[in-house]
Amino acid sequence: MKFIIENNTATVLLLVFALLAGGVSILVYYKNRKNSELSVLQCRVLAVLRAVSIFICLTLLLKPIVILKKQVKEKPLIVVAADNSQSLLPFKTAIKETLNKLDEKLKRKYTVEHWLFGEKAVRGDTPVFVAPKSDYSDLLASVANQYVNKNIGALILLGDGIYNAGQNPLNQVSKLNFPVYTVGFGDTISIPDIRISGVKHNRTVFINNYFSLEADIHFSKLRNQVVRIEIIHDNEIVDSKTITIPTNNYFISEAFSIQASRKGLQKYKVRVAPVEGEKNTDNNSHEFVIDVIDTKHHILILSDGPHPDIGALKTILENYSNFELTLINGNILPEKVNDFDLFVLYQLPSAHHYNSQALQDIFKSKKPLLFIVGEKTSLPLLNNLQMGISTMAGKGMNECQFLFNKDFSLFKIENEYTENIENFPPLYVPYADFKMVGDLQVLGSQRIKGINTSDPLITLGTLNGRKIGYILGEGIWRWRIFDFSINNNFKAVNELIFKIFNYLVLKENEENFKLFFSTTYSDNEEVIIGAELYNDSYELVNTPDVSMVLHKDSLSEYRFIFDKVENKYLLNLGKPGTGNYQMKATVQLGEKEYKSTGNFMVVRLNLEEQQTIANHQFLYQLAYESGARFFLPENQEQLFSAIQSDNQIKPDKFVHYAQNELLNSKWLFALIILVFGMEWFLRKYWGIY
């Protein structure tokens, strides 16, 4: 115990208080004639009591502080965490019994706190095994953050080792300052099982076009079995394959090509028919959604005259139902120029067609342009247009092959086609020095007689907000012939031409009101819709309210108001359940009303059904990396012994200082009463009134 008086003149004041208390006592008991009947000893006793009581009372005016020093012994904290996911439901009785035994054994010597983890780690001691996923990393991070500066002795983790969300826990465990003891539940015996672990596919596709999908499928204990893989749409099998499984542990990525025949959000399912002896058939299927777009892009090809390249382009683009072509030779344009989404000028402007009304109307339209340059193209006239290319014209033509630019970022050509395209026959390119102006990117540069150059061959981009493209050579028809002669198909040349045209016709979104969402959500994730509103100066605003009407499967109707977040809008729909949803959002800005619509689909995806074989090897490694051990449920006594013998798990001793004002002390108040009481009692007893 220590007393402190926070006053610089405390010593002087205490001396004054002592003299004052002594002086008062002398006046009361030595100078007062009424006390002459008392003996010297009696006077001294009463004087001392009076002086002590007065001195204590005066000292309290200085607000003295008393500091108490106490040594505290804190028991180690043991955190017990149980996996609350659906994969452990068959073992709920064993897990609950283990939790009870851990409580009974550990609480005698340790402080025990319980956690549950699945999608999120939370405090709790009663698992119900309903979580649709297991996130081990969230548990480790939550425990580490929750008990900073606490004497945490160990984490005991009860689970099956199957994690299907979050980060790899093995990357975190080495950073923990406490051991992780693991107890393994679940079935580790491999049984006959088919599991579709994922499906890779296009998100969008144009109607009547084909899209590719690739299903990753695992087969366990099914050697020599014959299985059928089916693609289902609207309860009909649209494609299927039959395979024979060669080994007991077999993995395959099976590819399909499916035609999108209906517009809108279309739900597909990859399914493998169950086989005899298979217990878990929930992971035999996988649902996904494709957004099928029914949009026609009108393209006008205007040329100086007939050419095999025009026929080649027509043949290629007719394979894609979203393109509609109009071919014109000469100067006469259709009446409604604005109905076209892209103008292709083949070898124009030329000496014969350089100042036609048709070209003037096209240049004024601000619609995307694709120039295909050839022998008839007038390079000086092209240069005068200032459309993203400047050139110093030369004489003659060069033979130039295509060389891919790996840094091109406007779209992607599949790797399987790039090598074929670079081997295509050369295009005939005017001998000239082409230089790009504006925001253009080179898709392919010129390779002349095997020498790579930086001169562009195909370039695309924007100029003053307008999409522009250049193919600086003629001879595309030779590409088709070569592609078929080598590969027996036209896939490589079709891929290149389609990506060029598709980039040019797609419109930039310049609407004032936009919705942001995914077309597909799983049933165990939250559906979050974003929105942006722009004024006429194209500045973000969020002053007015945005309302939305949501329909589920064209039946149920729900109404919502978006939250305002900074200068945007946000709406969290939670987990609305599986189904097809149509939404219509409305906002009033000034005198104008803006509307935006969209569709999304929520599909069933239970990660806990994908893998049902326990991974005790992972639990063993997790414990080992943290400096602990792995145990089976029947070896709990060994777990208790390991924890008790761990020298790192020990009580934490520290000194605790308590600081209080002496004025608040009940004991001091009692002492003052006692001193005054004794004086009063002795005065009465000795006959002084």
Side-chain angles (χ1 to χ4, degrees), residues 32 40 61 79 110 167 207 320 327 426 449 471 520 531 548 648:
N32 193 342
V40 175
L61 296 175
V79 178
Y110 309 98
Q167 304 173 6
I207 193 166
Y320 304 95
L327 308 179
K449 297 180 180 180
I471 301 177
T520 312
M548 189 177 79
Q648 300 298 319

Side-chain angles (χ1 to χ4, degrees), residues 478-652:
R478 296 186 180 88
W479 285 1
R480 290 193 77 247
I481 295 174
F482 180 85
D483 196 13
F484 189 81
S485 66
I486 298 300
N487 303 306
N488 205 31
N489 58 52
F490 304 102
K491 289 184 178 180
V493 66
N494 286 2
E495 171 85 356
L496 177 63
I497 297 301
F498 169 75
K499 290 294 180 70
I500 292 172
F501 276 74
N502 193 55
Y503 164 75
L504 291 170
V505 297
L506 289 179
K507 298 178 181 178
E508 298 290 341
N509 191 350
E510 296 179 352
E511 299 175 352
N512 289 73
F513 183 47
K514 307 174 186 178
L515 291 178
F516 299 92
F517 59 95
S518 298
T519 56
T520 312
Y521 299 89
S522 65
D523 58 350
N524 55 31
E525 68 175 316
E526 294 182 336
V527 176
I528 298 176
I529 311 296
E532 291 182 355
L533 178 63
Y534 295 86
N535 58 22
D536 290 339
S537 298
Y538 214 66
E539 298 169 328
L540 272 174
V541 295
N542 71 343
T543 306
D545 290 333
V546 173
S547 60
M548 189 177 79
V549 178
L550 183 69
H551 292 273
K552 179 180 180 182
D553 297 323
S554 301
L555 299 174
S556 304
E557 180 179 295
Y558 310 92
R559 295 182 179 273
F560 301 93
I561 299 293
F562 278 73
D563 295 323
K564 298 176 181 179
V565 181
E566 295 179 353
N567 55 358
K568 300 181 181 181
Y569 297 91
L570 199 66
L571 177 61
N572 189 336
L573 297 175
K575 301 175 182 178
T578 58
N580 193 1
Y581 293 83
Q582 301 83 38
M583 55 185 174
K584 180 180 179 181
T586 308
V587 62
Q588 184 85 25
L589 182 61
E591 299 296 325
K592 297 180 181 179
E593 183 180 69
Y594 298 101
K595 297 179 181 180
S596 186
T597 60
N599 297 332
F600 65 88
M601 190 172 289
V602 179
V603 297
R604 182 176 178 272
L605 178 62
N606 193 331
L607 297 175
E608 289 294 300
E609 295 174 352
Q610 297 300 310
Q611 183 177 349
T612 57
I613 300 175
N615 188 356
H616 287 181
Q617 178 61 34
F618 164 75
L619 293 177
Y620 173 86
Q621 190 174 359
L622 188 68
Y624 176 81
E625 293 289 340
S626 71
R629 292 170 57 190
F630 165 78
F631 298 92
L632 293 173
E634 56 267 25
N635 297 330
Q636 292 182 46
E637 292 299 328
Q638 297 179 23
L639 170 62
F640 300 139
S641 298
I643 291 177
Q644 290 175 357
S645 61
D646 191 336
N647 295 328
Q648 300 298 319
I649 306 176
K650 57 185 179 181
D652 194 6

Side-chain angles (χ1 to χ4, degrees), residues 231-283:
I231 311 299
I232 299 171
H233 178 237
D234 285 343
N235 296 320
E236 294 184 2
I237 299 174
V238 295
D239 200 358
S240 65
K241 291 183 181 180
T242 301
I243 64 170
T244 301
I245 303 168
T247 62
N248 273 328
N249 186 18
Y250 184 60
F251 169 80
I252 188 174
S253 290
E254 194 66 33
F256 295 84
S257 182
I258 309 297
Q259 186 177 26
S261 56
R262 293 178 55 187
K263 69 177 181 179
L265 294 179
Q266 302 298 320
K267 183 166 67 175
Y268 290 82
K269 179 191 291 185
V270 179
R271 182 179 68 187
V272 183
V275 297
E276 185 178 354
E278 188 180 5
K279 293 183 179 181
N280 178 29
T281 59
D282 292 329
N283 56 2

